[in-house]
Amino acid sequence: MPGLPNDVQEEVKECFDLFDRTGAGKIPVDMLGKIIRSVGQTPSNAEVQDYVKEIDSDGTGTFDYASLVALLERHWKAPPDPNQIVEAFKIFDPDGKGQISASEMSTVMTSLGEKLTSEEVKAMLAEADPSNTGSIDYKAFVEHMAKQTINLNAK
């Protein structure tokens, strides 16, 4: 990737400035996961730990804006096509009602692909089923998540 588009860099800068409460131009590394997620990325906790090691190779415990942009340029993942995600959810919806149970979603998220931690699954279920009904309208959930993600292909 030649670099992050200007609109993405602007959003990253805005997020960086929000997390840089002292105005020192440095953010503690323990905030890295939050700031990366704030700009629409969805790294696992293990990936965040790898990123912390990468961005804090000198052991200062902080990082600056330029280091953050460089890290994001190396690891940016374009969001998947929402239609493909909806199609994947349909596998777990044999009756075609457009819904899956929260417990089934939890099982899938902790056992298939890149396994999520129970904390990550809890956060996802809170987004997917805010009323705690036990049933998830997966198309609405995918649309909601897609709106929160920066799409690098927008430019």
Side-chain angles (χ1 to χ4, degrees):
M1 173 180 296
L4 297 174
N6 289 339
D7 60 331
V8 174
Q9 285 187 35
E10 288 170 18
E11 183 155 354
V12 170
K13 179 65 173 150
E14 198 174 299
C15 285
F16 184 91
D17 290 344
L18 284 172
F19 281 86
D20 180 19
R21 294 192 175 116
T22 64
K26 299 272 185 184
I27 296 177
V29 293
D30 63 346
M31 300 302 289
L32 183 62
K34 288 181 182 179
I35 196 167
I36 290 174
R37 291 180 179 112
S38 294
V39 296
Q41 293 296 280
T42 55
S44 68
N45 289 341
E47 286 174 314
V48 170
Q49 289 308 311
D50 290 342
Y51 297 164
V52 166
K53 290 175 189 168
E54 186 177 333
I55 205 167
D56 189 30
S57 59
D58 59 0
T60 62
T62 62
F63 62 93
D64 61 16
Y65 173 71
S67 298
L68 177 62
V69 169
L71 179 90
L72 289 172
E73 286 175 342
R74 287 189 299 277
H75 298 286
W76 190 271
K77 295 177 184 169
D81 178 357
N83 293 326
Q84 291 175 329
I85 297 171
V86 168
E87 289 302 313
F89 271 114
K90 286 181 180 178
I91 294 168
F92 303 100
D93 178 23
D95 56 2
K97 291 184 177 179
Q99 302 208 340
I100 63 169
S101 72
S103 62
E104 186 168 29
M105 183 170 178
S106 178
T107 300
V108 169
M109 295 298 162
T110 57
S111 59
L112 297 178
E114 185 177 323
K115 297 169 185 69
L116 301 179
T117 66
S118 59
E119 294 83 28
E120 291 170 323
V121 171
K122 251 186 215 176
M124 183 178 288
L125 289 175
E127 290 267 343
D129 185 18
S131 302
N132 202 24
T133 63
S135 183
I136 297 165
D137 176 335
Y138 54 82
K139 186 174 182 187
F141 172 63
V142 169
E143 288 171 356
H144 171 73
M145 296 307 289
K147 287 178 187 172
Q148 295 183 3
T149 305
I150 299 170
N151 187 345
L152 285 179
N153 298 326
K155 282 204 164 190

